[in-house]
Amino acid sequence: MTTTTALRTFPDVRADFPGLTPGWHYLDTAATAQKPQAVIDAMVNAMGRDYATVHRGVYARSADMTLAYEAARRRIAGFIGAKEEQVAFVRGATEAINLVAHSHPRKGRILLSMLEHHSNIVPWQLAGWQVDVCPLTEDGRIDLDAAAKILTPEHRMVAFAHVSNVLGSPLDVARAAELAHRVGAELLIDGCQAVPRLPVDVAALGCDYYAFSGHKLYGPTGIGVLWSDKLSALPPWQGGGSMIDRVTFERTTYAPAPTRFEAGTPAIVEALGLAAAVDYVESIGIEAIHAHECALVGSLREALARKNSIALYGPVNSAGIVSFSMAGVHPHDIGTILDESGVAIRAGHHCAQPLMEHLGVPATARASFGVYNNDDDVAALIDGLARVERIFG
């Protein structure tokens, strides 16, 4: 499908998103996605008309909400090709990675990559893992050939991003899993940028852990998912109500997974909101979303490549994300001037300071796409950058 055809055939869903006010071009979905009305309505109903706690009450509404909460788990598990007992609700991908880093019984050496988000670096350091770093290819992908040479039987874990939040680089997860398992290591995948825009089937990928956040998938903040078919082998990370079997002052026994990882009253409303977001995404089709975002990326990269002042980062087939810099202009200035033109992009180190050092820049400007973007947004960004060039020229 050509770029023009993909853009022309994709449905115009902008009206579904009340946060997208007229004349505002939102190009920061990699940071957080705008929310469709269907998600907002689901959360309003869950917070109001249907609200009750889960798992504890014997009255009808509590039982109904418990059924809805667990149905949300099944819905979200199905979206990534998983079983419900393999999916734990957490506050976000950051908590999911912290959970694995701290709970894993075989701490040791871990291989990360140069492009990882801080949330896939700092938790491992805090938990006492010894970090090795995999370099990138020239076009900004995780260099799996280099990973094959670095990995040894001393490595207990490999943790890579499925899609880079800065470069949009997609990872061959199946090959990464094969390399990790070859030396007896496990593979954790940060799927935050992949789940909203790529088909994900955790069984087919072959990884051991998969983490993602709800708010990048057009759902609410404050909820995320940790998938693993090895949850039952991990001890609980946080203690409190709900995650127990029996408590005495002498000894406590714990509930089976995934309940043992959901201490306290869970994010009930957020879980239902995330399930509604999955419904919304699937009503459009993840393959169609991916093709649409690829078309937008191709259109933007082609336009930026014609500007001598612009340096582009990441591979040509980046997934939904385009990072760039402009000679002589700090990305924060680019972002500020674009905002005056009604164009919202991200500017900064994107929680990836080691990657910025590798690229030799303090920061980049980043445009990232969602289901609501179209060629008008690309045109507005290009017009805004022309204004930046005039101001700093």
Side-chain angles (χ1 to χ4, degrees):
M1 183 181 294
T2 66
T3 295
T4 302
T5 303
L7 293 174
R8 187 169 57 244
T9 58
F10 193 79
D12 183 358
V13 299
R14 190 178 174 90
D16 294 345
F17 294 83
L20 296 177
T21 53
W24 192 49
H25 302 275
Y26 184 72
L27 294 168
D28 197 21
T29 297
T32 194
Q34 295 291 317
K35 316 307 172 193
Q37 189 65 48
V39 169
I40 297 168
D41 290 345
M43 295 182 69
V44 167
N45 289 335
M47 182 70 81
R49 180 194 68 195
D50 303 330
Y51 187 73
T53 192
V54 296
H55 298 149
R56 298 184 181 91
V58 296
Y59 50 92
R61 189 185 289 189
S62 175
D64 290 344
M65 185 59 91
T66 298
L67 291 173
Y69 178 77
E70 293 302 333
R73 190 193 307 275
R74 287 193 298 275
R75 183 73 184 90
I76 294 159
F79 182 62
I80 59 170
K83 300 176 181 177
E84 59 183 294
E85 64 270 18
Q86 299 170 339
V87 165
F89 285 133
V90 288
R91 287 181 299 163
T94 298
E95 181 171 274
I97 296 170
N98 272 278
L99 190 162
V100 177
H102 286 270
S103 291
H104 201 281
R106 298 176 62 241
K107 296 179 180 67
R109 302 205 72 81
I110 182 171
L111 181 63
L112 306 177
S113 83
M114 186 64 70
L115 57 67
E116 300 307 319
H117 190 282
H118 294 165
S119 62
N120 199 25
I121 300 173
V122 180
W124 305 105
Q125 294 172 331
L126 284 173
W129 295 72
Q130 295 80 56
V131 174
D132 293 318
V133 182
C134 181
L136 306 181
T137 61
E138 189 173 343
D139 65 349
R141 303 170 190 270
I142 298 173
D143 190 339
L144 293 181
D145 289 337
K149 298 175 182 177
I150 295 170
L151 285 168
T152 72
E154 292 185 4
H155 288 93
R156 303 289 176 83
M157 185 72 68
V158 177
F160 289 160
H162 195 166
V163 171
S164 166
N165 75 304
V166 178
L167 305 175
S169 316
L171 173 71
D172 182 348
V173 177
R175 185 178 178 217
E178 188 275 326
L179 294 176
H181 297 160
R182 184 188 299 173
V183 298
E186 294 177 324
L187 175 66
L188 180 143
I189 293 295
D190 170 1
C192 284
Q193 300 299 339
V195 167
R197 52 180 54 94
L198 297 177
V200 172
D201 182 337
V202 288
L205 292 175
C207 56
D208 300 280
Y209 307 93
Y210 199 97
F212 65 93
S213 293
H215 70 103
K216 299 178 193 294
L217 185 60
Y218 307 98
T221 56
I223 190 164
V225 168
L226 172 64
W227 168 85
S228 178
D229 58 2
K230 300 180 178 181
L231 287 182
S232 60
L234 296 180
W237 177 44
Q238 296 174 323
S242 296
M243 50 75 68
I244 56 85
D245 174 31
R246 177 171 172 76
V247 176
T248 69
F249 285 110
E250 292 74 33
R251 181 172 180 268
T252 294
T253 55
Y254 306 112
T259 306
R260 72 172 62 172
F261 302 111
E262 297 177 8
T265 301
I268 304 166
V269 174
E270 290 78 4
L272 271 62
L274 182 52
V278 166
D279 287 341
Y280 183 82
V281 167
E282 289 205 326
S283 73
I284 299 171
I286 197 71
E287 296 280 5
I289 292 170
H290 180 50
H292 178 67
E293 292 189 1
C294 285
L296 290 169
V297 164
S299 178
L300 178 57
R301 289 186 70 96
E302 182 180 347
L304 293 178
R306 292 195 291 266
K307 292 180 174 289
N308 293 330
S309 62
I310 296 288
L312 281 163
Y313 304 100
V316 173
N317 69 333
S318 58
I321 295 169
V322 178
S323 282
F324 61 93
S325 61
M326 180 180 286
V329 187
H330 195 282
H332 288 168
D333 293 323
I334 296 173
T336 299
I337 295 170
L338 287 174
D339 184 46
E340 295 172 355
S341 301
V343 179
I345 66 162
R346 198 72 161 182
H349 56 65
H350 315 297
C351 294
Q353 289 177 325
L355 176 57
M356 294 298 114
E357 185 175 350
H358 169 75
L359 296 175
V361 295
T364 67
R366 182 187 71 188
S368 53
F369 297 109
V371 297
Y372 32 66
N373 291 120
N374 55 36
D375 49 8
D376 289 342
D377 298 311
V378 174
L381 174 56
I382 297 302
D383 289 346
L385 290 174
R387 181 168 179 255
V388 175
E389 289 177 313
R390 290 194 298 270
I391 291 172
F392 283 88

